[in-house]
Amino acid sequence: MASSPNMEIDTPLSNGASTTATNPTSTTTPSAAASPPSPASTPLPESLRLEHQFLRVPFEHYKKTIRSNHRIVDKEVSAVISEVVGDDEMTGDEAVNRLTNLVSRLQGLKRKLEEGSRSENLQAQRCRARFDHLEYADADNISEWNNTRLKRILVDYMLRMSYFESAIKLSETSNIQDFVDIDVFHEAKRVIDALHNKEVAPALAWCSENKSRLKKAKSKFEFQLRLQEFIELVRGEQNLRAITYARKYLAPWGITHMKELQRVVATLAFKSDTECATYKVLFDIKQWDYLVQQFKQEFYRLYGMTQEPLLNIYLQAGLSALKTPFCYEDDCPKDDPLSQEVFRKLAFPLPFSKQHHSKLVCYITKELMDTENPPMVLPNGYVYSSKALEEMARKNNGKITCPRTGLVCNYSDLAKAFIS
């Protein structure tokens, strides 16, 4: 059994942030012969800063495996000791039976120790494989490495959307099983499926396994589960059972959540078909969907994952550079990603990109207007590129027709605009 070092992380780092301990007394002297980093190698360390979740998740899973194994061992050892320190006044047959049970229990403990050791070694190997993968990244193989990262991001998205079969297939065909967290998401899937079926037992068991960490994070998830279970008893008109349940499981939360507790307990005076808005919402079937979302948030936080899928985060990073007010106009060019509704929805919470210099794009050719292709102004004030208007004049005997208003004029009537 691997030993359990002190690996608790009190403050999770958010979405790729990292902290580095520095020694204020240490100094570094740059070498005169040291050459500056090449331009090709500088973007790589920046991209590695986004790999926080890639390392954090297996590390958290490894710690959880160690804690789980230690709890099992402590429980079995305590049981063995209680068997040994038994009644001294036993007959021979009783002593033989007790020793037989003790040997059987010790053999079971040995099997659990071996299984726990294998599980810990597997998690440690996965952490090592991910460290090696990050070290493998350099400017020479950045294309291959980025291709692997894209597949990891796609698997992460599939797992979060519950497309498990597709995620498993992609990870196997790409040979990236050690770089994705399928087993971790399987743990979440069991709880989510149970909540969709209106069962709280698996979720409560998950809360019990992670009780100390949820308490440290001041999580209300277990309390919300207990409230929902109470509501279901009231919905089934089992008021006496609901009262007993409240005394046993809800009363301890009264110190910190008294107002919510009072509101839920008051449902005893109403039926599930009540029209009172304050209590009607508590009986709403959508409360189960809320519990699913709350569980996902707590689950992601516990493992140091981002709340949004990595695919969304990377897409939003690119869309934030493309988003301008023009993208939401009807005449937005079709080759602009933000002309599609799915990308507009994803970019909705993002700010518009900051453009230090205006860029004029021709309405006709969709080409950039600059010194090589200067803008020309029609008498009606509309501006188009000189290349587009020259081509139009060539085809129409020197006549220009504004594609927006239909105005017809001579090419000689155009005025050149200057970009400052």
Side-chain angles (χ1 to χ4, degrees):
M1 175 71 68
S3 60
S4 174
N6 183 11
M7 294 187 293
E8 287 290 341
I9 297 179
D10 293 332
T11 305
L13 304 180
S14 60
N15 294 0
S18 61
T19 57
T20 305
T22 58
N23 184 357
T25 61
S26 63
T27 58
T28 58
T29 304
S31 171
S35 60
S38 62
S41 64
T42 52
L44 194 59
E46 295 295 328
S47 67
L48 292 182
R49 294 183 181 184
L50 303 174
E51 299 297 336
H52 170 78
Q53 174 176 313
F54 183 61
L55 295 177
R56 178 69 181 272
V57 174
F59 179 62
E60 291 295 338
H61 198 198
Y62 181 42
K63 291 198 301 178
K64 182 178 180 179
T65 302
I66 292 175
R67 288 193 295 266
S68 176
N69 290 337
H70 278 198
R71 282 196 296 268
I72 293 173
V73 170
D74 290 342
K75 180 179 179 180
E76 291 296 324
V77 169
S78 299
V80 169
I81 292 175
S82 64
E83 286 284 343
V84 172
V85 186
D87 186 7
D88 294 334
E89 299 179 359
M90 291 186 295
T91 64
D93 291 340
E94 290 175 344
V96 169
N97 288 335
R98 176 166 291 187
L99 287 174
T100 302
N101 293 335
L102 184 60
V103 169
S104 177
R105 193 143 201 168
L106 287 173
Q107 289 175 342
L109 175 59
K110 181 183 177 182
R111 286 193 300 271
K112 292 179 180 178
L113 287 171
E114 291 172 348
E115 293 173 0
S117 179
R118 283 194 297 270
S119 179
E120 290 180 18
N121 288 336
L122 180 63
Q123 298 301 328
Q125 290 171 9
R126 181 164 294 177
C127 291
R128 180 72 264 174
R130 298 195 182 192
F131 275 114
D132 293 341
H133 178 66
L134 293 183
E135 291 179 354
Y136 174 71
D138 57 43
D140 295 332
N141 59 12
I142 188 63
S143 178
E144 178 185 353
W145 194 86
N146 279 336
N147 185 46
T148 301
R149 176 163 64 174
L150 175 60
K151 293 175 181 177
R152 290 195 284 110
I153 292 171
L154 291 174
V155 171
D156 173 81
Y157 182 82
M158 293 175 186
L159 291 172
R160 290 175 187 249
M161 298 297 108
S162 298
Y163 304 139
F164 281 89
E165 292 183 5
S166 299
I168 294 171
K169 188 68 175 177
L170 178 57
S171 65
E172 289 176 349
T173 56
S174 305
N175 195 26
I176 57 172
Q177 293 94 326
D178 284 340
F179 303 152
V180 293
D181 306 302
I182 294 175
D183 51 345
V184 174
F185 277 95
H186 266 300
E187 173 189 342
K189 185 177 184 297
R190 288 192 293 270
V191 176
I192 293 172
D193 289 346
L195 291 175
H196 281 312
N197 292 329
K198 301 177 178 56
E199 299 174 6
V200 299
L204 288 172
W206 182 83
C207 289
S208 178
E209 293 174 5
N210 301 278
K211 187 172 184 178
S212 60
R213 300 190 64 200
L214 291 173
K215 184 177 180 180
K216 186 183 295 184
K218 298 181 179 179
S219 170
K220 293 172 54 178
F221 181 55
E222 183 180 355
F223 177 59
Q224 296 295 337
L225 290 171
R226 296 295 185 186
L227 292 182
Q228 189 61 38
E229 203 164 22
F230 176 85
I231 289 293
E232 294 304 316
L233 289 173
V234 177
R235 191 197 307 274
E237 299 183 357
Q238 303 179 53
N239 288 1
L240 291 178
R241 284 189 60 192
I243 293 171
T244 303
Y245 183 91
R247 287 173 177 170
K248 184 175 181 179
Y249 296 110
L250 296 182
W253 295 90
I255 299 175
T256 53
H257 301 88
M258 179 56 73
K259 289 184 178 180
E260 295 172 81
L261 184 57
Q262 289 174 336
R263 181 188 175 203
V264 171
V265 172
T267 58
L268 288 167
F270 298 85
K271 291 187 177 181
S272 59
D273 58 353
T274 179
E275 293 300 323
C276 181
T278 303
Y279 304 103
K280 183 178 180 180
V281 67
L282 296 176
F283 290 105
D284 194 336
I285 208 68
K286 291 182 179 179
Q287 291 293 328
W288 288 99
D289 296 331
Y290 168 72
L291 287 176
V292 171
Q293 293 302 320
Q294 193 173 7
F295 167 73
K296 288 181 178 180
Q297 292 176 6
E298 297 294 346
F299 181 81
Y300 296 153
R301 186 182 297 114
L302 216 62
Y303 278 101
M305 298 181 185
T306 57
Q307 292 293 326
E308 283 284 323
L310 291 175
L311 182 62
N312 287 8
I313 293 173
Y314 279 89
L315 285 175
Q316 286 179 329
L319 292 174
S320 64
L322 299 175
K323 184 180 178 182
T324 62
F326 178 69
C327 296
Y328 290 86
E329 295 183 5
D330 294 335
D331 53 358
C332 176
K334 297 302 180 184
D335 55 351
D336 187 340
L338 284 165
S339 65
Q340 301 180 36
E341 189 60 33
V342 62
F343 286 119
R344 287 182 176 182
K345 184 177 179 181
L346 193 59
F348 179 77
L350 303 176
F352 289 111
S353 63
K354 184 177 181 181
Q355 302 289 342
H356 293 283
H357 301 286
S358 297
K359 294 181 180 180
L360 300 180
V361 178
C362 178
Y363 178 84
I364 301 174
T365 64
K366 311 303 180 186
E367 293 181 356
L368 188 68
M369 291 186 281
D370 52 20
T371 55
E372 300 297 328
N373 185 26
M376 303 294 285
V377 184
L378 273 64
N380 61 3
Y382 283 90
V383 179
Y384 305 98
S385 68
S386 59
K387 287 183 179 180
L389 297 177
E390 287 172 1
E391 181 67 20
M392 187 184 296
R394 188 179 303 112
K395 294 179 178 179
N396 297 283
N397 298 321
K399 295 294 184 179
I400 300 296
T401 302
C402 178
R404 295 183 179 182
T405 65
L407 173 74
V408 179
C409 63
N410 295 319
Y411 185 81
S412 58
D413 297 331
L414 306 182
K416 188 176 181 179
F418 296 90
I419 302 174
S420 59

PDB file of all heavy atoms in Angstrom, residues 220-241:
ATOM      1  N   LYS A 220     -23.658  23.397  -0.067  1.00  0.00           N
ATOM      2  CA  LYS A 220     -25.030  23.172   0.399  1.00  0.00           C
ATOM      3  C   LYS A 220     -25.674  22.002  -0.332  1.00  0.00           C
ATOM      4  O   LYS A 220     -26.870  21.769  -0.177  1.00  0.00           O
ATOM      5  CB  LYS A 220     -25.868  24.432   0.141  1.00  0.00           C
ATOM      6  CG  LYS A 220     -25.463  25.634   0.961  1.00  0.00           C
ATOM      7  CD  LYS A 220     -26.206  26.875   0.493  1.00  0.00           C
ATOM      8  CE  LYS A 220     -27.703  26.675   0.492  1.00  0.00           C
ATOM      9  NZ  LYS A 220     -28.437  27.896   0.083  1.00  0.00           N
ATOM     10  N   PHE A 221     -24.899  21.258  -1.099  1.00  0.00           N
ATOM     11  CA  PHE A 221     -25.488  20.230  -1.951  1.00  0.00           C
ATOM     12  C   PHE A 221     -26.205  19.150  -1.137  1.00  0.00           C
ATOM     13  O   PHE A 221     -27.321  18.753  -1.459  1.00  0.00           O
ATOM     14  CB  PHE A 221     -24.417  19.608  -2.841  1.00  0.00           C
ATOM     15  CG  PHE A 221     -24.934  18.557  -3.769  1.00  0.00           C
ATOM     16  CD1 PHE A 221     -25.969  18.827  -4.641  1.00  0.00           C
ATOM     17  CD2 PHE A 221     -24.398  17.275  -3.772  1.00  0.00           C
ATOM     18  CE1 PHE A 221     -26.468  17.852  -5.509  1.00  0.00           C
ATOM     19  CE2 PHE A 221     -24.880  16.296  -4.632  1.00  0.00           C
ATOM     20  CZ  PHE A 221     -25.910  16.588  -5.500  1.00  0.00           C
ATOM     21  N   GLU A 222     -25.573  18.657  -0.080  1.00  0.00           N
ATOM     22  CA  GLU A 222     -26.217  17.615   0.737  1.00  0.00           C
ATOM     23  C   GLU A 222     -27.507  18.144   1.362  1.00  0.00           C
ATOM     24  O   GLU A 222     -28.520  17.428   1.419  1.00  0.00           O
ATOM     25  CB  GLU A 222     -25.264  17.134   1.830  1.00  0.00           C
ATOM     26  CG  GLU A 222     -25.864  16.005   2.667  1.00  0.00           C
ATOM     27  CD  GLU A 222     -24.926  15.501   3.756  1.00  0.00           C
ATOM     28  OE1 GLU A 222     -23.762  15.972   3.809  1.00  0.00           O
ATOM     29  OE2 GLU A 222     -25.371  14.658   4.571  1.00  0.00           O
ATOM     30  N   PHE A 223     -27.477  19.395   1.802  1.00  0.00           N
ATOM     31  CA  PHE A 223     -28.677  20.003   2.384  1.00  0.00           C
ATOM     32  C   PHE A 223     -29.799  20.068   1.354  1.00  0.00           C
ATOM     33  O   PHE A 223     -30.960  19.757   1.660  1.00  0.00           O
ATOM     34  CB  PHE A 223     -28.339  21.398   2.900  1.00  0.00           C
ATOM     35  CG  PHE A 223     -29.518  22.157   3.460  1.00  0.00           C
ATOM     36  CD1 PHE A 223     -30.242  21.651   4.518  1.00  0.00           C
ATOM     37  CD2 PHE A 223     -29.895  23.377   2.913  1.00  0.00           C
ATOM     38  CE1 PHE A 223     -31.325  22.344   5.033  1.00  0.00           C
ATOM     39  CE2 PHE A 223     -30.969  24.080   3.418  1.00  0.00           C
ATOM     40  CZ  PHE A 223     -31.694  23.563   4.482  1.00  0.00           C
ATOM     41  N   GLN A 224     -29.468  20.436   0.112  1.00  0.00           N
ATOM     42  CA  GLN A 224     -30.478  20.489  -0.943  1.00  0.00           C
ATOM     43  C   GLN A 224     -31.051  19.107  -1.249  1.00  0.00           C
ATOM     44  O   GLN A 224     -32.253  18.965  -1.534  1.00  0.00           O
ATOM     45  CB  GLN A 224     -29.862  21.096  -2.215  1.00  0.00           C
ATOM     46  CG  GLN A 224     -29.411  22.540  -2.067  1.00  0.00           C
ATOM     47  CD  GLN A 224     -30.563  23.489  -1.821  1.00  0.00           C
ATOM     48  OE1 GLN A 224     -31.700  23.195  -2.155  1.00  0.00           O
ATOM     49  NE2 GLN A 224     -30.271  24.632  -1.221  1.00  0.00           N
ATOM     50  N   LEU A 225     -30.208  18.091  -1.187  1.00  0.00           N
ATOM     51  CA  LEU A 225     -30.693  16.723  -1.394  1.00  0.00           C
ATOM     52  C   LEU A 225     -31.677  16.314  -0.297  1.00  0.00           C
ATOM     53  O   LEU A 225     -32.725  15.704  -0.563  1.00  0.00           O
ATOM     54  CB  LEU A 225     -29.516  15.751  -1.422  1.00  0.00           C
ATOM     55  CG  LEU A 225     -28.579  15.814  -2.631  1.00  0.00           C
ATOM     56  CD1 LEU A 225     -27.358  14.942  -2.392  1.00  0.00           C
ATOM     57  CD2 LEU A 225     -29.303  15.367  -3.895  1.00  0.00           C
ATOM     58  N   ARG A 226     -31.331  16.655   0.943  1.00  0.00           N
ATOM     59  CA  ARG A 226     -32.216  16.322   2.066  1.00  0.00           C
ATOM     60  C   ARG A 226     -33.557  17.052   1.939  1.00  0.00           C
ATOM     61  O   ARG A 226     -34.624  16.472   2.216  1.00  0.00           O
ATOM     62  CB  ARG A 226     -31.533  16.694   3.382  1.00  0.00           C
ATOM     63  CG  ARG A 226     -30.269  15.917   3.690  1.00  0.00           C
ATOM     64  CD  ARG A 226     -30.544  14.451   3.911  1.00  0.00           C
ATOM     65  NE  ARG A 226     -29.336  13.720   4.322  1.00  0.00           N
ATOM     66  CZ  ARG A 226     -29.282  12.403   4.470  1.00  0.00           C
ATOM     67  NH1 ARG A 226     -30.361  11.668   4.258  1.00  0.00           N
ATOM     68  NH2 ARG A 226     -28.162  11.815   4.832  1.00  0.00           N
ATOM     69  N   LEU A 227     -33.500  18.309   1.518  1.00  0.00           N
ATOM     70  CA  LEU A 227     -34.738  19.066   1.336  1.00  0.00           C
ATOM     71  C   LEU A 227     -35.623  18.412   0.275  1.00  0.00           C
ATOM     72  O   LEU A 227     -36.835  18.304   0.447  1.00  0.00           O
ATOM     73  CB  LEU A 227     -34.422  20.509   0.931  1.00  0.00           C
ATOM     74  CG  LEU A 227     -33.759  21.413   1.975  1.00  0.00           C
ATOM     75  CD1 LEU A 227     -33.568  22.811   1.408  1.00  0.00           C
ATOM     76  CD2 LEU A 227     -34.583  21.473   3.248  1.00  0.00           C
ATOM     77  N   GLN A 228     -34.992  17.983  -0.827  1.00  0.00           N
ATOM     78  CA  GLN A 228     -35.766  17.368  -1.900  1.00  0.00           C
ATOM     79  C   GLN A 228     -36.401  16.050  -1.454  1.00  0.00           C
ATOM     80  O   GLN A 228     -37.543  15.737  -1.818  1.00  0.00           O
ATOM     81  CB  GLN A 228     -34.882  17.141  -3.126  1.00  0.00           C
ATOM     82  CG  GLN A 228     -35.624  16.713  -4.371  1.00  0.00           C
ATOM     83  CD  GLN A 228     -36.638  17.747  -4.833  1.00  0.00           C
ATOM     84  OE1 GLN A 228     -36.375  18.950  -4.756  1.00  0.00           O
ATOM     85  NE2 GLN A 228     -37.791  17.291  -5.310  1.00  0.00           N
ATOM     86  N   GLU A 229     -35.642  15.291  -0.663  1.00  0.00           N
ATOM     87  CA  GLU A 229     -36.194  14.030  -0.163  1.00  0.00           C
ATOM     88  C   GLU A 229     -37.391  14.297   0.761  1.00  0.00           C
ATOM     89  O   GLU A 229     -38.389  13.562   0.745  1.00  0.00           O
ATOM     90  CB  GLU A 229     -35.108  13.242   0.570  1.00  0.00           C
ATOM     91  CG  GLU A 229     -35.387  11.762   0.640  1.00  0.00           C
ATOM     92  CD  GLU A 229     -34.161  10.948   1.003  1.00  0.00           C
ATOM     93  OE1 GLU A 229     -33.213  11.509   1.599  1.00  0.00           O
ATOM     94  OE2 GLU A 229     -34.145   9.751   0.683  1.00  0.00           O
ATOM     95  N   PHE A 230     -37.288  15.367   1.551  1.00  0.00           N
ATOM     96  CA  PHE A 230     -38.406  15.751   2.422  1.00  0.00           C
ATOM     97  C   PHE A 230     -39.618  16.154   1.575  1.00  0.00           C
ATOM     98  O   PHE A 230     -40.756  15.741   1.862  1.00  0.00           O
ATOM     99  CB  PHE A 230     -37.982  16.914   3.328  1.00  0.00           C
ATOM    100  CG  PHE A 230     -39.069  17.459   4.198  1.00  0.00           C
ATOM    101  CD1 PHE A 230     -39.357  16.880   5.411  1.00  0.00           C
ATOM    102  CD2 PHE A 230     -39.825  18.557   3.784  1.00  0.00           C
ATOM    103  CE1 PHE A 230     -40.371  17.375   6.220  1.00  0.00           C
ATOM    104  CE2 PHE A 230     -40.840  19.058   4.572  1.00  0.00           C
ATOM    105  CZ  PHE A 230     -41.118  18.466   5.790  1.00  0.00           C
ATOM    106  N   ILE A 231     -39.381  16.932   0.517  1.00  0.00           N
ATOM    107  CA  ILE A 231     -40.463  17.379  -0.363  1.00  0.00           C
ATOM    108  C   ILE A 231     -41.172  16.176  -1.000  1.00  0.00           C
ATOM    109  O   ILE A 231     -42.405  16.153  -1.131  1.00  0.00           O
ATOM    110  CB  ILE A 231     -39.920  18.323  -1.451  1.00  0.00           C
ATOM    111  CG1 ILE A 231     -39.527  19.671  -0.848  1.00  0.00           C
ATOM    112  CG2 ILE A 231     -40.932  18.513  -2.576  1.00  0.00           C
ATOM    113  CD1 ILE A 231     -40.685  20.478  -0.319  1.00  0.00           C
ATOM    114  N   GLU A 232     -40.406  15.160  -1.383  1.00  0.00           N
ATOM    115  CA  GLU A 232     -41.009  13.982  -2.014  1.00  0.00           C
ATOM    116  C   GLU A 232     -41.888  13.228  -1.031  1.00  0.00           C
ATOM    117  O   GLU A 232     -42.917  12.658  -1.421  1.00  0.00           O
ATOM    118  CB  GLU A 232     -39.914  13.061  -2.568  1.00  0.00           C
ATOM    119  CG  GLU A 232     -39.121  13.654  -3.717  1.00  0.00           C
ATOM    120  CD  GLU A 232     -40.002  14.093  -4.862  1.00  0.00           C
ATOM    121  OE1 GLU A 232     -40.942  13.341  -5.236  1.00  0.00           O
ATOM    122  OE2 GLU A 232     -39.791  15.202  -5.387  1.00  0.00           O
ATOM    123  N   LEU A 233     -41.517  13.227   0.246  1.00  0.00           N
ATOM    124  CA  LEU A 233     -42.376  12.593   1.260  1.00  0.00           C
ATOM    125  C   LEU A 233     -43.676  13.377   1.407  1.00  0.00           C
ATOM    126  O   LEU A 233     -44.761  12.786   1.536  1.00  0.00           O
ATOM    127  CB  LEU A 233     -41.636  12.513   2.596  1.00  0.00           C
ATOM    128  CG  LEU A 233     -40.478  11.512   2.661  1.00  0.00           C
ATOM    129  CD1 LEU A 233     -39.726  11.659   3.985  1.00  0.00           C
ATOM    130  CD2 LEU A 233     -40.977  10.077   2.500  1.00  0.00           C
ATOM    131  N   VAL A 234     -43.567  14.714   1.398  1.00  0.00           N
ATOM    132  CA  VAL A 234     -44.777  15.540   1.501  1.00  0.00           C
ATOM    133  C   VAL A 234     -45.642  15.361   0.261  1.00  0.00           C
ATOM    134  O   VAL A 234     -46.874  15.294   0.349  1.00  0.00           O
ATOM    135  CB  VAL A 234     -44.391  17.023   1.688  1.00  0.00           C
ATOM    136  CG1 VAL A 234     -45.645  17.902   1.715  1.00  0.00           C
ATOM    137  CG2 VAL A 234     -43.595  17.211   2.977  1.00  0.00           C
ATOM    138  N   ARG A 235     -44.993  15.275  -0.926  1.00  0.00           N
ATOM    139  CA  ARG A 235     -45.739  15.070  -2.163  1.00  0.00           C
ATOM    140  C   ARG A 235     -46.548  13.762  -2.105  1.00  0.00           C
ATOM    141  O   ARG A 235     -47.662  13.678  -2.627  1.00  0.00           O
ATOM    142  CB  ARG A 235     -44.776  15.031  -3.350  1.00  0.00           C
ATOM    143  CG  ARG A 235     -45.479  15.077  -4.710  1.00  0.00           C
ATOM    144  CD  ARG A 235     -44.540  14.621  -5.810  1.00  0.00           C
ATOM    145  NE  ARG A 235     -43.285  15.337  -5.817  1.00  0.00           N
ATOM    146  CZ  ARG A 235     -43.083  16.508  -6.440  1.00  0.00           C
ATOM    147  NH1 ARG A 235     -44.081  17.078  -7.103  1.00  0.00           N
ATOM    148  NH2 ARG A 235     -41.894  17.087  -6.410  1.00  0.00           N
ATOM    149  N   GLY A 236     -45.933  12.733  -1.475  1.00  0.00           N
ATOM    150  CA  GLY A 236     -46.616  11.450  -1.330  1.00  0.00           C
ATOM    151  C   GLY A 236     -47.558  11.384  -0.150  1.00  0.00           C
ATOM    152  O   GLY A 236     -48.029  10.297   0.205  1.00  0.00           O
ATOM    153  N   GLU A 237     -47.815  12.557   0.498  1.00  0.00           N
ATOM    154  CA  GLU A 237     -48.726  12.667   1.637  1.00  0.00           C
ATOM    155  C   GLU A 237     -48.327  11.744   2.780  1.00  0.00           C
ATOM    156  O   GLU A 237     -49.164  11.193   3.485  1.00  0.00           O
ATOM    157  CB  GLU A 237     -50.170  12.397   1.199  1.00  0.00           C
ATOM    158  CG  GLU A 237     -50.676  13.381   0.156  1.00  0.00           C
ATOM    159  CD  GLU A 237     -52.129  13.141  -0.214  1.00  0.00           C
ATOM    160  OE1 GLU A 237     -52.716  12.165   0.319  1.00  0.00           O
ATOM    161  OE2 GLU A 237     -52.675  13.925  -1.008  1.00  0.00           O
ATOM    162  N   GLN A 238     -47.006  11.576   2.978  1.00  0.00           N
ATOM    163  CA  GLN A 238     -46.476  10.798   4.098  1.00  0.00           C
ATOM    164  C   GLN A 238     -45.955  11.772   5.152  1.00  0.00           C
ATOM    165  O   GLN A 238     -44.755  11.850   5.430  1.00  0.00           O
ATOM    166  CB  GLN A 238     -45.371   9.865   3.618  1.00  0.00           C
ATOM    167  CG  GLN A 238     -45.805   8.920   2.507  1.00  0.00           C
ATOM    168  CD  GLN A 238     -44.672   8.033   2.039  1.00  0.00           C
ATOM    169  OE1 GLN A 238     -44.025   7.348   2.849  1.00  0.00           O
ATOM    170  NE2 GLN A 238     -44.423   8.027   0.743  1.00  0.00           N
ATOM    171  N   ASN A 239     -46.867  12.532   5.724  1.00  0.00           N
ATOM    172  CA  ASN A 239     -46.469  13.637   6.603  1.00  0.00           C
ATOM    173  C   ASN A 239     -45.750  13.173   7.866  1.00  0.00           C
ATOM    174  O   ASN A 239     -44.806  13.817   8.326  1.00  0.00           O
ATOM    175  CB  ASN A 239     -47.701  14.466   6.976  1.00  0.00           C
ATOM    176  CG  ASN A 239     -48.211  15.282   5.793  1.00  0.00           C
ATOM    177  OD1 ASN A 239     -47.646  15.200   4.691  1.00  0.00           O
ATOM    178  ND2 ASN A 239     -49.275  16.050   6.008  1.00  0.00           N
ATOM    179  N   LEU A 240     -46.197  12.075   8.459  1.00  0.00           N
ATOM    180  CA  LEU A 240     -45.536  11.604   9.675  1.00  0.00           C
ATOM    181  C   LEU A 240     -44.092  11.189   9.387  1.00  0.00           C
ATOM    182  O   LEU A 240     -43.177  11.503  10.156  1.00  0.00           O
ATOM    183  CB  LEU A 240     -46.332  10.434  10.275  1.00  0.00           C
ATOM    184  CG  LEU A 240     -47.704  10.791  10.865  1.00  0.00           C
ATOM    185  CD1 LEU A 240     -48.398   9.531  11.381  1.00  0.00           C
ATOM    186  CD2 LEU A 240     -47.532  11.813  11.995  1.00  0.00           C
ATOM    187  N   ARG A 241     -43.896  10.495   8.282  1.00  0.00           N
ATOM    188  CA  ARG A 241     -42.528  10.124   7.888  1.00  0.00           C
ATOM    189  C   ARG A 241     -41.701  11.365   7.584  1.00  0.00           C
ATOM    190  O   ARG A 241     -40.511  11.425   7.893  1.00  0.00           O
ATOM    191  CB  ARG A 241     -42.555   9.210   6.665  1.00  0.00           C
ATOM    192  CG  ARG A 241     -42.960   7.778   6.962  1.00  0.00           C
ATOM    193  CD  ARG A 241     -42.753   6.906   5.748  1.00  0.00           C
ATOM    194  NE  ARG A 241     -41.344   6.894   5.335  1.00  0.00           N
ATOM    195  CZ  ARG A 241     -40.900   6.411   4.186  1.00  0.00           C
ATOM    196  NH1 ARG A 241     -41.766   5.902   3.304  1.00  0.00           N
ATOM    197  NH2 ARG A 241     -39.618   6.425   3.905  1.00  0.00           N
TER     198      ARG A 241
END
